[in-house]
Every structure is written in structure tokens, then in C-alpha cells.
């Protein structure tokens, strides 16, 4: 970024910021220090050829991390999110020396940077968490001797456990939503899968009885018996010879951005607030736990098999992120006959 002081006609001095130094560099019009300023800077440099980071800096470590086979094997959606966060990290720390990362006091520098984003605590934790992951990789590869971001306490401690769709909201979507939205919601409720895995599910995954899925995020392979409610969706996709099970209103494959826009518009039309599409996964898990006539251990095992969690992590992950509180579970159990 290039900053210059300009003397105006009235005698005052103004400071102008440009996305980079040199001829043709675009000026950043947003207020310096604001979120809009950062977003405008990132937008302006997005299509500019990336400048090679200086060796021995955080920028060079980030470049090395991005070149690893493990990073390249991440799901495309995950890499997109990481690339966006790397842009913010490099905006602040691109030339920060590796020797300073190892020095006493560096942890405080990074935490103070994280705290500048405290108005969005979850996002702040994600940015710092990604930087911590880069440092952990660098330490494992003996690029640095100390990771200053080990065991950092999070700003955001919330979960979506209590963001469970009500039966009224579910019925509204399943009965009143447009067919292309209703089908996605039905598949989410009856398979407990993530949005990306649902939208890209190939029709060949259905063998007439079960659906086989390889999850993009975890790589886990799950086989799910097709519930009667989603059999018509799966059979219709096969009869029409579609590449994917779920399509938009034009009969074309969904894009992630297209689906999110359509989902937001439909939720507004139906007047559904306070819950997200991702909450359908937690809702399905909560309802399954409440209504299965099994022991706690058996319930967790069955839910883990369908959702793609390993048995070892299922108890912690499901309870922390998905399973609603006992009051909600008891209410669902009492109304199971409905």
C-alpha cells in the first residue's frame, strides 16, 4: 500500500492511500482503519499479479504453507475461505520477520491484532487460528523454533446448539417453499449432510436403496439408507438422467453462491428468521437423538455414522456443536407422536 500527503487548494493537507506504489495504482476511497477500507484494498489487489514475498518473513512462510500437498488437497471452498483470510493476514504481517515471530512478546502483537477484529469475534478467531496453523506447520518443519500462538483462548465461545428449527418452520419449508429449495431442505434433514456435499451429490450416488457420499470437508465416506421422504427426489433425478441429484429452478447444477442467494430470498418470503441452512444439520441430529429409542451410546454411534464423524470424536463434536440442550430434546421427545 502506498500513502501520500497532498496539499489541497484551500491550504489543508490530505492523506491519500493507493493499493500499491506506481503508475496506475488505484486510490482507496474508504475511510482508513475501517472494515470497508480493508475490503476495498483486498478487492483492488485481487486480480493483480502476486508479488513474491521476501524470504525470511511471515509472507514467505504463508507462501510455503500454501504450496504444500496437504493444503492443495483441501476442499475448494475451504481454500477460498483461507485465501481470503491469508489476504488479511498478509496485509498486516507480510514483511514481519521470522526472527521476530520467535522473539518474546510476539504473542502479544498477534493477540492485539486479533482484538482489532473483536466486533466479529468468530471471524477474529478464525483469522488467528489460521495464522496459528501456519506457525504450527512452520515449527514442525523447523522453520521456526517456537509457535507463539499455541493454546490461545478464543474470543467466541458460542455454538449453534440451541438454533434448532421448530416444527412450524420445518413444515413451512417442506410445504410452502419452491420445489428446488424444498428438495435441498428435505435432503439436508434426512441425510444430515453439509450444504456443499448436498449440492454436489451425484445421481450415481443413489443405488436405488442407499446414498453413498464422500464428504468434501473430512473425506469421510458414509452410506445412508434413503428415507421415504427423499426417495422421490432421488428417483426423479435418476429418471431424468441428471448429473446431480439437486438442481436449481432452471434444472441446472447449483453453484454455492447461487444457492445461498436463492435460500436467503426464499427464507425472507416465508418469514423464517433466527435459523440458518447449516442449522438444519444440527436440527436433524437433535431430532434423531430425541426420537431414537436407543441408549445414549447407541444414539451417538448411529448419528456419527450418518453425519460422518468418527466414533472417537462424535461425543465431543456432536454435543459441543450440534446437540441441543436437554430442555429442547425433552420437548421434542414429548411431541414425538406429532
Amino acid at each position: 500500500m502506498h500513502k501520500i500527503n497532498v496539499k489541497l487548494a484551500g491550504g489543508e493537507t490530505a492523506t491519500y492511500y493507493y493499493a500499491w506504489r506506481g503508475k496506475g495504482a488505484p486510490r482507496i476511497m474508504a475511510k482508513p482503519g475501517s472494515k470497508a477500507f480493508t475490503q476495498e484494498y483486498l478487492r483492488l489487489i485481487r486480480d493483480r499479479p502476486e508479488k513474491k514475498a521476501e524470504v525470511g518473513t511471515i509472507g514467505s512462510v504463508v507462501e510455503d504453507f500454501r504450496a504444500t500437498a496437504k493444503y492443495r488437497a483441501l476442499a475448494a471452498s475451504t481454500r477460498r475461505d483461507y485465501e481470503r483470510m491469508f489476504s488479511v493476514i498478509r496485509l498486516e504481517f507480510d514483511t514481519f520477520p521470522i526472527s521476530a515471530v520467535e522473539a518474546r512478546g510476539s504473542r502479544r502483537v498477534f493477540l492485539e491484532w486479533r482484538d482489532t477484529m473483536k466486533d466479529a469475534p468468530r471471524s477474529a478467531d478464525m483469522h488467528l487460528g489460521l495464522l496459528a496453523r501456519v506457525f504450527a506447520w512452520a515449527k514442525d518443519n523447523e522453520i521456526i523454533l517456537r509457535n507463539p500462538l499455541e493454546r490461545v483462548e478464543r474470543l467466541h465461545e458460542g455454538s449453534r446448539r440451541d438454533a434448532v428449527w421448530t416444527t412450524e418452520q420445518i413444515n413451512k419449508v417442506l410445504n410452502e417453499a419452491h420445489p428446488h429449495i424444498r428438495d435441498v431442505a428435505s435432503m439436508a434433514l434426512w441425510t444430515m449432510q453439509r450444504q456443499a456435499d448436498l449440492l454436489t451429490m451425484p445421481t450415481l450416488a443413489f443405488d436405488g436403496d442407499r446414498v453413498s457420499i464422500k464428504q468434501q470437508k473430512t473425506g469421510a465416506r458414509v452410506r445412508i439408507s434413503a428415507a421415504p421422504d427423499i426417495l422421490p427426489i432421488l428417483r426423479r433425478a435418476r429418471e431424468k438422467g441428471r448429473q446431480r441429484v439437486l438442481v436449481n429452478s432452471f434444472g441446472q447444477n447449483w453453484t454455492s453462491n447461487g444457492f445461498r442467494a436463492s435460500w436467503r430470498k426464499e427464507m425472507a418470503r416465508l418469514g423464517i428468521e433466527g435459523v440458518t441452512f447449516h442449522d438444519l444439520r444440527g436440527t436433524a441430529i437433535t431430532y434423531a437423538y430425541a426420537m431414537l429409542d436407543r441408549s445414549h451410546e447407541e444414539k451417538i454411534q448411529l448419528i456419527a455414522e450418518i453425519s460422518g464423524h468418527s466414533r472417537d470424536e462424535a461425543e465431543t463434536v456432536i454435543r459441543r456443536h450440534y446437540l441441543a440442550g436437554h430442555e429442547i430434546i425433552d420437548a421434542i421427545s414429548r411431541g414425538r407422536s406429532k
Side-chain angles (χ1 to χ4, degrees):
M1 190 184 306
H2 183 44
K3 179 177 74 171
I4 63 171
N5 294 320
V6 177
K7 193 168 184 178
L8 303 178
E12 302 106 345
T13 299
T15 302
Y16 291 164
Y17 294 85
Y18 294 84
W20 58 84
R21 181 189 297 272
K23 184 178 180 180
R27 182 181 160 196
I28 305 172
M29 305 304 292
K31 181 181 178 181
S34 66
K35 184 176 181 180
F37 183 89
T38 301
Q39 291 175 335
E40 185 177 357
Y41 170 78
L42 296 177
R43 177 180 58 79
L44 290 172
I45 68 170
R46 186 177 300 141
D47 298 325
R48 189 184 185 215
E50 186 176 344
K51 181 181 178 181
K52 193 72 174 175
E54 183 180 345
V55 176
T57 62
I58 286 181
S60 66
V61 175
V62 168
E63 287 183 354
D64 291 341
F65 178 81
R66 291 170 59 223
T68 61
K70 189 172 183 179
Y71 180 78
R72 293 180 181 276
L74 293 173
S77 58
T78 302
R79 288 201 309 275
R80 282 195 299 272
D81 289 339
Y82 281 4
E83 290 301 317
R84 174 180 52 79
M85 289 189 283
F86 276 140
S87 295
V88 176
I89 290 169
R90 295 187 66 173
L91 177 61
E92 184 72 20
F93 296 114
D94 199 48
T95 59
F96 197 94
I98 290 176
S99 58
V101 173
E102 299 173 328
R104 183 183 180 89
S106 64
R107 181 184 179 94
R108 182 174 179 178
V109 172
F110 299 123
L111 291 180
E112 288 178 346
W113 167 71
R114 189 264 323 260
D115 289 347
T116 64
M117 300 179 279
K118 64 184 179 182
D119 290 342
R122 185 171 180 271
S123 177
D125 286 338
M126 290 173 66
H127 282 79
L128 193 72
L130 180 57
L131 186 57
R133 182 174 180 178
V134 172
F135 287 163
W137 171 84
K139 182 181 177 182
D140 287 344
N141 286 271
E142 299 182 338
I143 298 172
I144 59 176
L145 300 178
R146 183 181 82 94
N147 177 2
L149 294 180
E150 290 179 344
R151 297 182 297 278
V152 172
E153 189 172 330
R154 291 176 173 269
L155 292 177
H156 178 74
E157 294 295 340
S159 73
R160 301 296 297 178
R161 288 182 299 174
D162 293 330
V164 174
W165 284 61
T166 65
T167 53
E168 290 77 14
Q169 289 172 324
I170 291 174
N171 288 333
K172 196 172 217 17
V173 169
L174 298 184
N175 295 324
E176 300 179 29
H178 294 306
H180 58 292
I181 295 293
R182 182 188 63 225
D183 287 353
V184 182
S186 295
M187 292 292 292
L189 285 166
W190 287 103
T191 66
M192 301 182 189
Q193 300 306 303
R194 298 177 181 87
Q195 178 183 307
D197 295 318
L198 291 169
L199 298 184
T200 59
M201 184 185 297
T203 302
L204 289 175
F206 176 55
D207 64 6
D209 180 44
R210 292 172 178 256
V211 179
S212 300
I213 301 168
K214 181 180 179 182
Q215 296 181 336
Q216 296 180 30
K217 183 175 181 179
T218 64
R221 295 180 181 274
V222 296
R223 292 193 72 206
I224 303 168
S225 294
D229 295 66
I230 62 173
L231 276 174
I233 300 171
L234 295 164
R235 288 169 177 165
R236 186 164 59 247
R238 193 162 62 172
E239 289 167 1
K240 293 188 175 182
R242 293 203 299 248
Q243 178 191 20
R244 294 181 182 175
V245 172
L246 298 168
V247 293
N248 62 23
S249 58
F250 300 102
Q252 300 171 340
N253 292 339
W254 282 109
T255 64
S256 57
N257 289 337
F259 175 74
R260 284 195 292 269
S262 296
W263 179 264
R264 285 194 300 268
K265 183 177 179 180
E266 189 69 343
M267 293 306 101
R269 185 181 74 84
L270 296 174
I272 295 176
E273 300 177 340
V275 287
T276 67
F277 179 85
H278 183 68
D279 292 331
L280 286 173
R281 179 172 164 89
T283 298
I285 289 173
T286 297
Y287 274 57
Y289 187 92
M291 301 182 73
L292 281 171
D293 189 16
R294 303 288 186 92
S295 68
H296 168 75
E297 290 73 18
E298 290 176 314
K299 290 180 181 182
I300 293 294
Q301 178 65 37
L302 287 169
I303 292 171
E305 290 174 358
I306 296 173
S307 64
H309 296 99
S310 69
R311 182 62 184 86
D312 291 339
E313 69 177 352
E315 179 84 32
T316 300
V317 173
I318 291 173
R319 279 205 171 277
R320 179 177 179 183
H321 296 291
Y322 301 117
L323 202 56
H326 285 294
E327 290 184 3
I328 294 177
I329 290 173
D330 291 343
I332 294 170
S333 297
R334 289 194 298 271
R336 66 192 305 171
S337 61
K338 299 179 181 180

